[in-house]
Structure formats: C-alpha cells, structure tokens
Amino acid sequence: MQIDGTFRGKDVQLVELTQDHPGFNDKAYRTRRDEIAGYAASYTAGAPIEDVAYNADEQSVWHAVWDKLAPLHEQYACEAYLRAAEAFGFAHDHIPGFAEINARLEPTQRFTLAPVAGLVRPETFLLQLGQHRFLATQYMRHGSEPLYTPEPDVVHEYIGHVALLASPQHAALNLAFGRATERATAAEVDALIRVYWYTIEFGVLQEADTIKVYGAGHLSSFGEIQRVREADLRPWSLATMAETSFDPTSYQAQLFVAPSYGQMQRDVLAWLETIGR
Ligand SMILES: [Fe+2]
C-alpha cells in the first residue's frame, strides 16, 4: 500500500456543516474553521508545523470543556488514563499548539501529531500510525455548545488521544495497528477499523466492580461518558468486535468490556500479530 505524507484529495473529506450543526449559521465560525482547515490541507508530513493562534472564543471553549470534563474523568476514566493524564500534565489555561504537543510526544514515543483538514479515510489514518504519525484536526467546536461536537475537533484529539499516546503502552498499541494495516488484506482492514473503534476510540474495561473508560470518544465527550454504563456491555471478544459494525453519528449502542487495561493491550497486540500472516 502506498504511504505518503500528504493528506488531501480522496484521503481527507472536509466536514460539510449540516443545518443541525451548532456552527451552521455562524459565518465567522465557518470562516475561521475554513482558515484552520486550509492550513492543514496544505501541510505535508515532516514539515515544521505552524501553530494555530487560538482566539479568545476558542480559549473559552477549552476552559469550559475542562471545567466539566475533569470531574467526569475522576469518576469514569480508568486508572491507566488518569495516570497518563497526570504524567502528561495538560495545560488547562491555554490550548496547546501541535508543535507544543509534539515537542513532548516525540522524544519519548516518536509519535507526532500531523494536522488534517477534516475526516480522514480510516485506512489512511491507520497506515499513518505505522509511520508514528497521528493525524488530527486543529479546529475547535462551536462556542454555543462547548460540550458537544458532531465530529472530531481539537478537544477530541487532545483530551481523548494525546495523554494516552504519551504512554509507552498506548503508543505501542497505536503503532501496532499501523503496522498491521500495512500487511492487511481488504477484509482485514475492515476488521482493524472496527477493533480500533471498539478499543482506542470507545474502549471500556472492568475496574474493581465498575466499568471505566479508556476510549478517546468517551474521554472527550461530556454526554457519552456519563451514559457509558447504559450501553449494551458485551463480553470481551476481539473476534466479535472485528465483525461488529458501528455508527459514528450517535452514542455507541454496544461496547466490549476488557478485563483490564493490561489484558486489553496484550490481547490486541497478539490479535494484530495475526493480521496479514
Ligand atoms: Fe479519535
């Protein structure tokens, strides 16, 4: 499969705001999003990243999100995430730029964030993980609904993904997804996309006598994190996960409960080793 460092054309789909999007009628917001996405669209991997200078509105959304999400993390996030988040020490007082994040990720894990303008084809996203590259959006959700976004934004990327990406175990897992995708058949790519979805994006696990989250989708969503225990909580099975389709546009109907973070990591790494063999 071809792997290059540009993320445009068929690989990246710009998010067309629909009428129910919180920013649909806000011209200034749409212009700002286009400006940030435009920068990402012209970016080539490996080039120095010019950080977005987030404005006061965007900064206030960041503060509002942290105010609400930090206590929910205490309640719902698994130990592995809480430890990783504490070690990473996210600044709550300003939105870091990608260069600031990468300066901290790269020396330890050799992962870097690379900006994309919108939704990336899942296979492209996974392949880039194998290059130690995590494709991520930079724009911010609309200020009228700081606790909601219908698509990934900088809050999802940072709060959901970055802290864990700074931990060696989680970085190794992301890398292994990328390497497996390079070897995969078309059918196996579909399985990889689903397993990534039900683990890295929406993974839950058993901790003591309760369900905790380690998935980026829950960690970055005020609404969904609080409903996690209302989903159909299914037994831990990578084979079932690999065959279970998902709906990215609504709360997840089913989730797969890992026995622990360590067991999840060991089982997923072993399963990834079987891909393309
Ligand atoms: Fe994500």
Side-chain angles (χ1 to χ4, degrees):
M1 279 171 215
Q2 192 191 350
I3 305 170
D4 70 16
T6 58
F7 320 112
R8 320 187 236 285
K10 65 177 175 40
D11 285 334
V12 180
Q13 185 194 345
L14 290 181
V15 178
E16 285 292 328
L17 304 197
T18 54
Q19 285 196 19
D20 56 353
H21 192 287
F24 183 77
N25 289 317
D26 184 339
K27 261 194 181 153
Y29 175 76
R30 298 183 69 138
T31 304
R32 172 69 172 154
R33 260 180 86 114
D34 288 347
E35 182 191 341
I36 294 175
Y39 167 68
S42 64
Y43 178 75
T44 299
I49 296 180
E50 194 184 305
D51 276 341
V52 173
Y54 290 102
N55 62 33
D57 287 348
E58 290 158 342
Q59 299 286 356
S60 70
V61 174
W62 179 249
H63 296 148
V65 165
W66 271 120
D67 281 353
K68 295 290 187 188
L69 271 182
L72 292 173
H73 285 174
E74 291 300 324
Q75 195 177 345
Y76 292 98
C78 71
E79 273 299 314
Y81 175 80
L82 292 174
R83 275 200 308 273
E86 190 176 8
F88 193 80
F90 249 117
H92 293 201
D93 64 336
H94 72 284
I95 310 169
F98 277 25
E100 183 179 337
I101 298 282
N102 285 345
R104 301 182 55 196
L105 283 180
E106 199 173 12
T108 49
Q109 310 305 335
R110 297 189 299 131
F111 256 96
T112 55
L113 301 184
V116 284
L119 296 174
V120 185
R121 213 164 55 97
E123 186 177 356
T124 302
F125 173 82
L126 291 176
L127 281 170
Q128 291 296 328
L129 294 177
Q131 307 298 303
H132 295 93
R133 224 174 266 137
F134 193 94
L135 303 188
T137 52
Q138 293 170 295
Y139 47 73
M140 177 59 87
R141 61 194 56 192
H142 193 255
S144 66
E145 294 195 40
L147 303 177
Y148 170 74
T149 175
E151 72 275 334
D153 70 341
V154 71
V155 168
H156 170 76
E157 315 291 12
Y158 284 1
I159 299 181
H161 287 291
V162 163
L164 275 169
L165 209 53
S167 84
Q169 294 89 344
H170 218 69
L173 200 53
N174 275 273
L175 184 65
F177 267 102
R179 295 282 157 81
T181 309
E182 291 168 18
R183 304 189 299 267
T185 63
E188 286 174 328
V189 169
D190 288 342
L192 284 162
I193 291 167
R194 289 171 178 157
V195 171
Y196 193 90
W197 184 263
Y198 286 118
T199 57
I200 307 280
E201 291 292 351
F202 286 97
V204 296
L205 52 78
Q206 188 75 39
E207 208 166 75
D209 58 353
T210 190
I211 301 294
K212 297 286 181 91
V213 309
Y214 64 93
H218 286 121
L219 289 164
S220 60
S221 167
F222 175 80
E224 194 153 11
I225 197 171
Q226 297 182 81
R227 287 183 173 83
V228 66
R229 293 162 194 164
E230 294 164 22
D232 175 13
L233 298 170
R234 301 177 66 176
W236 178 239
S237 164
L238 288 162
T240 310
M241 236 180 257
E243 291 175 354
T244 305
S245 58
F246 57 85
D247 177 1
T249 63
S250 63
Y251 289 152
Q252 298 307 296
Q254 67 269 318
L255 302 167
F256 294 87
V257 185
S260 68
Y261 181 83
Q263 191 69 49
M264 177 280 294
Q265 216 239 353
R266 287 190 292 279
D267 289 351
V268 174
L269 284 175
W271 178 79
L272 291 171
E273 271 306 307
T274 68
I275 300 294
R277 309 289 190 199

